[in-house]
Amino acid sequence: PTILVSEKLGEPGLQLLRSFGNVECLYKLTTDELCAKIGECDALIVRSGTKVTRQVFEAAKGRLKVVGRAGVGIDNVDLQAATEFGCLVVNAPTANTIAAAEHGIALLASMARNVAQSDASMKAGKWERNVYVGVSLVGKTLSVLGFGKVGSEVARRAKGLGMHVIAHDPYAPADRARAIGVDLVSFDEAVSAADFISLHMPLTPTTNKILNDETFGKMKKGVRIVNVARGGVIDEDALVRALDNGTVAQ
């Protein structure tokens, strides 16, 4: 079989693929270039940058049998079109769980203590320690929106930092949350009680722009938000308004 890899993968992954078929690595393809090539391929491996649209499945003319997403979210693949053309879509849901969770905690701590701003200030030859004091994480309420693999790992680590953690996820089992010491609450309670919000939900029609003017209106003044999910879960125009009026501090 011919396997097309449209985004950069680690060499060990490529070596594994080569033991199963003919691997072609073609990066940064335009939609037209991908459509022109896909009719020669049995499998396609993507990350988040390649959009596998209905146009791509139509161009494959039934030869494409599987699309593999090297990561968690599959919102860049048209699942309806894949189903119609008999193409399997698979992902790697645990591949980057810990890396994403650690990244989320790094951003949380960095934001709370203004690490990036302090660094830029010092590199500009200034010493403004009173300007960038920041806020403490201990005793603050963190709302984890999306309590799946990454969200639950973020919760574990935040508990270790002395934070009170609550979560919202309509699909998460309550016993798993209780085992970590996390309370599952309604969406409105999660956003209204939070000092910090960490987003870990997929981008779906339900979650698209779920943080909007109405949602920001329910939040505490001075809330801080970390997004290690998809940009599209936040209405960016509404976010700018919330930053301007002081609802969102960072």
Side-chain angles (χ1 to χ4, degrees), residues 56-196:
V56 174
F57 287 109
E58 289 174 349
K61 297 179 180 177
R63 176 166 176 178
L64 187 64
K65 293 296 184 287
V66 60
V67 175
R69 161 73 165 96
V72 181
I74 49 175
D75 44 273
N76 54 319
V77 181
D78 187 328
L79 297 180
Q80 181 63 41
T83 301
E84 290 175 19
F85 284 90
C87 182
L88 189 65
V89 178
V90 295
N91 65 347
T94 62
N96 60 348
T97 297
I98 299 303
E102 289 180 350
H103 186 57
I105 292 294
L107 292 178
L108 189 73
S110 179
M111 179 174 65
R113 291 299 176 181
N114 297 307
V115 172
Q117 298 92 321
S118 305
D119 177 65
S121 172
M122 179 174 280
K123 286 176 178 174
K126 302 174 185 177
W127 179 249
E128 302 174 295
R129 65 179 187 176
N130 293 331
V131 176
Y132 298 119
V133 171
V135 296
S136 179
L137 296 176
V138 171
K140 298 297 195 306
T141 296
L142 171 68
S143 286
V144 178
L145 301 183
F147 198 69
K149 292 180 175 65
V150 177
S152 57
E153 291 298 335
V154 166
R156 289 179 196 276
R157 287 155 177 76
K159 293 281 289 184
L161 294 171
M163 302 187 80
H164 171 58
V165 183
I166 58 178
H168 172 74
D169 188 323
Y171 306 106
D175 56 346
R176 183 159 61 87
R178 281 195 299 270
I180 302 174
V182 173
D183 296 323
L184 283 179
V185 300
S186 68
F187 179 77
D188 284 353
E189 186 177 346
V191 297
S192 63
D195 300 301
F196 292 83

Side-chain angles (χ1 to χ4, degrees), residues 5-24:
V5 179
S6 67
E7 293 177 70
K8 197 168 181 64
L9 294 181
E11 187 57 34
L14 293 175
Q15 290 289 359
L16 185 63
L17 290 171
R18 289 185 184 113
S19 67
F20 288 94
N22 174 40
V23 177
E24 291 192 50

Side-chain angles (χ1 to χ4, degrees), residues 170-171 201-211 233:
Y171 306 106
M201 58 185 67
L203 181 60
T204 67
T206 304
T207 63
N208 184 45
K209 296 186 178 179
I210 195 169
L211 264 58
V233 301

Side-chain angles (χ1 to χ4, degrees), residues 190-248:
V191 297
S192 63
D195 300 301
F196 292 83
I197 293 174
S198 192
L199 299 169
H200 302 284
M201 58 185 67
L203 181 60
T204 67
T206 304
T207 63
N208 184 45
K209 296 186 178 179
I210 195 169
L211 264 58
N212 49 41
D213 284 312
E214 181 184 357
T215 314
F216 288 124
K218 297 174 182 176
M219 294 180 186
K220 285 183 184 179
K221 195 172 183 67
V223 69
R224 289 170 167 82
I225 301 171
V226 169
N227 184 10
V228 192
R230 290 287 189 267
V233 301
I234 300 178
D235 181 333
E236 292 186 358
D237 293 333
L239 175 60
V240 170
R241 289 189 285 272
L243 286 162
D244 287 344
N245 65 33
T247 298
V248 178

